[in-house]
Amino acid sequence: MSSILVTGVAGFIGFYLCQKLLSKGDTVIGLDNLNDYYDVKLKCARLQQLKENENFSFYKLNLADRESITKLFRDHQFDIVVNLAAQAGVRYSIKNPHAYTDFIEVLESHLGKKAQKNFLPMQPGDVEITYADVDELVQDVGFKPNTPIEVGLEKFTSWFKSYYSI
Ligand SMILES: NC(=O)c1ccc[n+]([C@@H]2O[C@H](COP(=O)([O-])OP(=O)(O)OC[C@H]3O[C@@H](n4cnc5c(N)ncnc54)[C@H](O)[C@@H]3O)[C@@H](O)[C@H]2O)c1
């Protein structure tokens, strides 16, 4: 079994990755600064679930805090580090809604509400296009993403409505 550091552990991907690793018996040290880019209560609720496993420990740390990170690496021997801590977000869809028409409309239909769209110019840090090639992931890990966007959004909205009781 490995000792694994997951940064951004209270985030969407970090949380699910961590659950998976703990379920196979790995020891996970999670790090997150719990910033308020979105609902901090949701991040805390994820951490609560992870903390139920005795092989999980959590550090509220900023990845940019060099001194604390150096200490963390001094105190622990990690076999693997998965770095997911980041300020995520793509605003391109707001400037170019046609690119994400299969996205907003599906969300509207599942939530039963019309989106109020506020069109803004490109923001600093926004990118025109992003690319992803998962061939090496499939080759190394044997996992191939196969959830169509409609199915993913349906699952998301049903979780969202149940979590926020709406
Ligand atoms: N969710 C997606 O669909 C998707 C797709 C492609 C790539 N990614 C990438 O995967 C990574 C994780 O995405 P996510 O959807 O889980 O995002 P998320 O925002 O849910 O999680 C990121 C976590 O990192 C934490 N964090 C941010 N800055 C930090 C810092 N300086 N120190 C410590 N913690 C910090 C945040 O508090 C948050 O909990 C990001 O790099 C994102 O760009 C996500």
Side-chain angles (χ1 to χ4, degrees), residues 115-126:
Q116 290 179 4
K117 303 184 196 84
N118 182 13
F119 295 95
L120 298 173
M122 290 285 277
Q123 304 292 303
D126 282 357

Side-chain angles (χ1 to χ4, degrees), residues 58-121:
F58 176 68
Y59 290 85
K60 183 171 186 289
L61 281 182
N62 186 338
L63 199 57
D65 178 348
R66 183 182 285 255
E67 205 174 302
S68 302
I69 297 296
T70 304
K71 182 171 183 328
L72 185 73
F73 275 83
R74 208 182 292 128
D75 293 347
H76 296 273
Q77 291 283 330
F78 300 117
D79 299 305
I80 298 170
V81 176
V82 185
N83 188 24
L84 294 167
Q87 187 68 45
V90 179
R91 294 213 176 96
Y92 183 69
S93 58
I94 297 174
K95 179 84 189 314
N96 298 272
H98 59 274
Y100 289 84
T101 301
D102 17 313
F103 192 91
I104 293 171
E105 282 177 3
V106 176
L107 270 182
E108 284 176 335
S109 88
H110 288 307
L111 287 170
K113 281 181 195 264
K114 272 271 165 216
Q116 290 179 4
K117 303 184 196 84
N118 182 13
F119 295 95
L120 298 173

Side-chain angles (χ1 to χ4, degrees), residues 24-75:
K24 9 192 240 91
D26 288 323
T27 297
V28 180
I29 288 89
L31 174 165
D32 203 296
N33 67 351
L34 299 179
N35 67 42
D36 62 0
Y37 180 57
Y38 63 84
D39 191 357
V40 178
K41 275 194 253 159
L42 172 57
K43 295 183 181 183
C44 292
R46 290 173 178 151
L47 284 180
Q48 269 321 109
Q49 284 188 55
L50 295 175
K51 283 176 181 170
E52 284 169 16
N53 190 308
E54 60 182 20
N55 289 334
F56 176 75
S57 45
F58 176 68
Y59 290 85
K60 183 171 186 289
L61 281 182
N62 186 338
L63 199 57
D65 178 348
R66 183 182 285 255
E67 205 174 302
S68 302
I69 297 296
T70 304
K71 182 171 183 328
L72 185 73
F73 275 83
R74 208 182 292 128
D75 293 347

